[in-house]
Amino acid sequence: MLDLATLLREKYEPVIGLEIHAQLNTRSKIFCPCPADFGAEPNANTCPVCLGLPGALPTLNQGVPEKAAFAAFALNLRINEVSVFSRKNYFYPDLPKGYQISQYDQPFSVAGYVEIPTSERDETGRPIAWRLKRFRIQRMHIEEDAGKSLHEGMPDSANSSYVNLNRSGVPLVEIVSEPDFRSSWEAYDYVQYLRRALLYVNACDGNLEEGSLRCDANVSIRRRGSETLGTRTETKNLNSFRFIQRAIDYEIARQIRVIEEGGRIVQETRLWNEREARTYAMRGKEEAHDYRYFPEPDLPPLVMSAETIAALRAQTPELPEPRRRRFAEDYGLSLEDSTLMTTTREAADFFEACVKAAGGQARAAFNWIANELLARIPVEKLSLATSPVSPAGLAELIALIADGTLSNKLAKEVFEQMLTTGKPAKAIVQALGGGQVSDAGQIETIAAEVIAANPKQTAEYRAGKTPLFAFFVGQVMKATKGKANPQVVNEALKRLLDAP
Ligand code: ADP
Ligand code: MG
Ligand code: ZN
């Protein structure tokens, strides 16, 4: 059998489609007033509706379609003016009703896409070459979450399982992509972007560890050049970006091996085991008809008028990818730099406020934020509200460099003090005894003194030992306590030393 890389290049093409469950960050659950927050005492956030007691009736939380609408705009989905809730029937110990309220043939929204940068990665995980690619999204529907079964880590888990229904009835959207991904890294870049976009519109808190974003990966392979889809497997509940990427790669390699050995892929649901870095068959894949979907009789159709949709659309902020492109064009940032500055909406707002306050000096604003500020604060945490240095404060510092008051070296010292004391740049410069000395006459006097005090080095330099130039620069800097403008120092020393 040829090696995997060759087989992938010459014979097989992976095809991947993703189903992502995102928890909408409403305060209460979808069909009852129980709190939807994570981490309460087991079963504390429950009532007859989300416990699934007979006769309890659901009523739709109006915050849910609103959040779902923002999620739809973030992914360029078209919202259906009428969508219908359906019962999806199945048995699970953490699903006491025996069905999940979901949407089926009339979903909330359809026909979306994202067009985003994506790249393969080398062995060290570094991007190789970015390009823009469009990934289509089939649909996004609204549904409720089920509870959670615990089989481990409880007092007598050897003999028992535990059920926690706090999550039962938490609002979710399921975002179903077209099978448009051709590698695990394309899938990875898509999920990263999706999280970013949902955070921008404040529809989801994006917390993967707490299960706010869960991914099922459908993977198949086919002969290169073929248009028909191969048989797929579905790997469930991947809750980290790296797991998604690694589980897909594992599954691609496994399927190629099976086919090369003359076997057949069975359509099935698989589970990723991170410790063993492999997937396991869990069960045969169920078909839609197994669920006996029918319209939910206890809820009316969900109506979103054209006016409501337009009003919500008008409140949608600029999305991360359009904003990234604007940053690249207007401020001359590279793809990596514009991606960094749009990591969160707050970071992007911070950067733009700084550029504006600095009179359009985008490069300087970027350098100070990326190299200095982000060395102290992770970019996800950068915001106007909490940054120890404000955009206007940073802009003042940039202005002091531009007008020659501060050298880059001095500016770093001032910045350090801005961070620790919270004082403005000008006040710190004053306390340090003024800024950089740029006065050519003053510097020339000092340079002349330095030359006079060092006749031996002067003679050697003039005899051709030019690396000694740095020695003279150092002496002038010492004499001025590092405040002399280095460029002016260089010019003065050149003039005096090179003069016959
Ligand atoms: P189900 O709801 O039964 O999981 P869907 O037809 O709704 O099935 O597809 C679910 C996901 O699987 C979608 O993201 C779709 O793009 C993807 N998908 C469908 N067929 C394939 C295939 N042959 N290979 C890879 N992905 C696929
Ligand atoms: Mg599915
Ligand atoms: Zn409840």
Side-chain angles (χ1 to χ4, degrees), residues 106-284:
Q106 293 184 67
F108 182 75
S109 58
V110 294
Y113 69 89
V114 294
E115 194 173 275
I116 55 167
T118 179
S119 170
E120 296 309 299
R121 310 295 202 274
D122 64 19
E123 308 80 57
T124 67
R126 237 193 313 260
I128 293 167
W130 292 102
R131 69 212 152 79
L132 288 180
K133 187 170 169 183
R134 180 178 288 226
F135 301 111
R136 294 166 304 155
I137 298 168
Q138 252 172 45
R139 57 187 261 146
M140 181 189 80
H141 63 256
I142 300 172
E143 61 187 27
E144 61 178 341
D145 206 348
K148 197 173 166 63
S149 300
L150 287 166
H151 310 293
E152 281 165 38
M154 300 300 283
D156 57 348
S157 19
N159 307 311
S160 326
S161 281
Y162 292 76
V163 175
N164 180 355
L165 293 172
N166 281 348
R167 225 170 62 181
S168 166
V170 161
L172 303 177
V173 282
E174 179 174 345
I175 302 158
V176 184
S177 85
E178 296 286 352
D180 280 355
F181 310 97
R182 296 292 172 266
S183 75
S184 63
W185 288 112
E186 287 189 354
Y188 177 92
D189 290 329
Y190 166 81
V191 183
Q192 288 264 10
Y193 182 77
L194 200 115
R195 174 174 182 273
R196 191 175 276 208
L198 293 176
L199 281 166
Y200 261 62
V201 299
N202 189 24
C204 173
D205 70 19
N207 193 327
L208 274 76
E209 289 103 72
E210 292 179 3
S212 301
L213 219 54
R214 307 193 286 269
C215 180
D216 303 341
N218 295 270
V219 177
S220 65
I221 56 168
R222 65 183 173 193
R223 282 302 191 99
R224 291 216 166 262
S226 161
E227 291 292 316
T228 45
L229 292 171
T231 304
R232 73 181 141 132
T233 62
E234 181 177 13
T235 303
K236 283 229 165 264
N237 273 332
L238 298 163
N239 65 351
S240 101
F241 295 118
R242 277 300 274 170
F243 294 180
I244 294 168
Q245 188 269 324
R246 292 174 52 176
I248 291 172
D249 265 358
Y250 175 87
E251 196 50 25
I252 292 169
R254 188 189 68 84
Q255 292 188 14
I256 289 179
R257 200 172 344 106
V258 169
I259 304 275
E260 282 289 297
E261 285 167 358
R264 246 169 22 88
I265 303 300
V266 216
Q267 180 159 331
E268 65 189 357
T269 300
R270 301 181 69 89
L271 270 188
W272 172 246
N273 182 313
E274 175 60 21
R275 212 157 13 100
E276 299 173 30
R278 57 163 294 181
T279 63
Y280 280 98
M282 182 165 83
R283 58 170 189 252

Side-chain angles (χ1 to χ4, degrees), residues 262-376:
R264 246 169 22 88
I265 303 300
V266 216
Q267 180 159 331
E268 65 189 357
T269 300
R270 301 181 69 89
L271 270 188
W272 172 246
N273 182 313
E274 175 60 21
R275 212 157 13 100
E276 299 173 30
R278 57 163 294 181
T279 63
Y280 280 98
M282 182 165 83
R283 58 170 189 252
K285 168 92 181 118
E286 56 295 303
E287 303 284 342
H289 62 245
D290 295 330
Y291 290 119
R292 297 289 190 276
Y293 279 100
F294 64 88
E296 168 59 63
D298 292 339
L299 286 164
L302 170 55
V303 177
M304 298 284 283
S305 70
E307 295 76 50
T308 307
I309 294 171
L312 292 172
R313 190 188 290 282
Q315 295 171 41
T316 307
E318 188 178 21
L319 297 170
E321 177 56 13
R323 199 165 189 190
R324 186 199 66 73
R325 283 188 212 182
R326 189 167 61 74
F327 279 17
E329 275 166 34
D330 292 1
Y331 305 134
L333 299 186
S334 70
L335 188 139
E336 274 92 359
D337 293 351
S338 54
T339 302
L340 179 66
M341 287 300 110
T342 49
T343 301
T344 64
R345 198 173 147 191
E346 290 73 21
D349 287 346
F350 188 96
F351 170 72
E352 282 215 284
C354 187
V355 173
K356 206 164 158 215
Q361 295 186 70
R363 178 46 52 186
F366 173 82
N367 286 340
W368 277 96
I369 294 172
N371 302 332
E372 305 301 327
L373 199 52
L374 294 185
R376 327 295 164 105

Side-chain angles (χ1 to χ4, degrees), residues 85-105:
F85 288 105
S86 291
R87 285 190 186 181
K88 182 180 184 181
N89 298 282
Y90 60 99
F91 170 80
Y92 236 65
D94 52 24
L95 186 71
K97 291 201 299 291
Y99 60 86
Q100 178 191 23
I101 303 181
S102 180
Q103 295 186 310
Y104 181 51
D105 49 359

Side-chain angles (χ1 to χ4, degrees), residues 29 31-35 45-51 168-169:
K29 293 186 179 180
F31 299 124
C32 62
C34 295
N45 296 344
T46 53
C47 74
V49 172
C50 55
L51 288 172
S168 166

Side-chain angles (χ1 to χ4, degrees), residues 376-409:
R376 327 295 164 105
I377 320 167
V379 65
E380 293 79 17
K381 296 245 158 69
L382 179 63
S383 79
L384 293 167
T386 59
S387 171
V389 175
S390 70
L394 207 47
E396 189 181 292
L397 184 69
I398 290 168
L400 290 171
I401 302 165
D403 73 9
T405 308
L406 292 178
S407 66
N408 275 322
K409 189 160 162 288

